[in-house]
Amino acid sequence: MSEDTNESQNGLIRIVVGVDFTEVGDVALDEAIRYAMRLEKSELHPVFVITERVKNHLEEVNRHLDEAYKALREKVINRCEAVGERWEQHVFFHVRLSKEPAAAIHQVAVDVGADAIVVGTHARRGLEKMLLGSVAEELVRTAHVPVMVARPNELGELEKTPKPEPAVPGEDIHHARVMANEHIAFGKRPSHIAYLI
C-alpha cells in the first residue's frame, strides 16, 4: 500500500490552492484556509505560478523563484491572520515556472496526491464568461480531482423568496408549507457486547 493511500485512510486531506496575488486569488486562498481549518487533519498547498518569461540564466531563475516563494509565504501568513482563527496545520509552498498556470496547479495536485483544488474566478457572465479561458475554467474541465471555484459572497445583494419552498401544482397556497430540520448521525453503531465467548 502506498504512503498516499495510508495517509488518506488516516483522514489526511490535502488542499491545493492557486494564488495569484489578486483580489480573486485572495478569495480562493481564504476559502481554502477556512476549508482546511474545519478538517482535523489537513495540509494546505498554496501554488504560485510565474508565467512571465524568465531568461534561462540560472541565477536569474533562482532569484525569481526565491522572491516568489517569500511573497507567497507572506501572503498566506497574512490571509491566515485575516481569517482570524488559530490554525496549526501544515502548509507547503509551491512556486512553479510555466506558461500554463492551470496545468502547473494540476501538476502540483498530482505530485502531492491532492484531494481538492481551490481556485478563484471573476463573476463574469454571458459571452464574457464563454470567452474567459480562465485557469478556473480549464481546471474544472480537465482536473482529475474535485475543483472548488471560489468567488466573493454576494448573496446580500439578492432578494430572498417569501416562502423558502415554492408551491407545487394543486397545493393550497394559503396553507403553510412544512420545512423540516433534523439531526442525522451516520457511522458505525457502538457495540454493547464487551466480549465474545
Side-chain angles (χ1 to χ4, degrees):
M1 191 179 294
S2 73
E3 184 180 327
D4 286 344
T5 305
N6 282 333
E7 287 176 346
S8 65
Q9 287 178 347
N10 291 332
L12 178 63
I13 304 294
R14 294 184 179 96
I15 304 159
V16 169
V17 55
V19 179
D20 63 1
F21 299 98
T22 66
E23 190 175 328
V24 167
D26 288 352
V27 170
L29 182 54
D30 289 352
E31 285 304 313
I33 291 167
R34 286 189 192 100
Y35 182 34
M37 286 175 135
R38 292 182 188 114
L39 301 169
E40 188 176 332
K41 296 179 185 177
S42 66
E43 290 178 358
L44 187 64
H45 292 263
V47 183
F48 174 65
V49 182
I50 300 174
T51 55
E52 64 193 52
R53 189 181 177 107
V54 180
K55 292 180 182 175
N56 290 332
H57 194 275
L58 185 60
E59 189 175 312
E60 185 177 353
V61 171
N62 286 339
R63 182 176 56 79
H64 271 73
L65 291 171
D66 187 52
E67 288 172 1
Y69 164 76
K70 288 175 182 172
L72 178 61
R73 184 177 184 279
E74 183 179 349
K75 169 63 80 174
V76 171
I77 290 170
N78 288 340
R79 296 316 299 178
C80 285
E81 289 175 355
V83 169
E85 295 182 43
R86 184 177 170 85
W87 193 54
E88 294 185 10
Q89 306 290 33
H90 289 288
V91 180
F92 297 86
F93 302 92
H94 304 268
V95 178
R96 298 284 171 103
L97 288 169
S98 177
K99 294 177 185 173
E100 299 176 11
I105 292 168
H106 187 259
Q107 189 59 53
V108 170
V110 172
D111 293 346
V112 303
D115 296 281
I117 297 172
V118 181
V119 286
T121 187
H122 297 279
R124 295 179 171 137
R125 295 175 177 85
L127 183 61
E128 189 180 5
K129 182 180 177 184
M130 285 173 50
L131 300 175
L132 180 59
S134 70
V135 172
E137 182 184 1
E138 180 74 17
L139 284 166
V140 167
R141 284 191 305 104
T142 63
H144 289 74
V145 297
V147 177
M148 177 192 293
V149 179
R151 60 176 42 155
N153 184 334
E154 297 170 342
L155 290 176
E157 301 172 3
L158 304 175
E159 185 178 334
K160 292 187 176 185
T161 57
K163 291 175 71 175
E165 300 291 327
V168 295
E171 179 185 23
D172 177 4
I173 60 171
H174 301 292
H175 188 271
R177 293 292 306 260
V178 174
M179 201 166 107
N181 181 2
E182 296 182 40
H183 176 83
I184 301 175
F186 293 93
K188 293 182 180 178
R189 294 178 61 185
S191 174
H192 298 288
I193 302 172
Y195 56 89
L196 296 172
I197 298 175

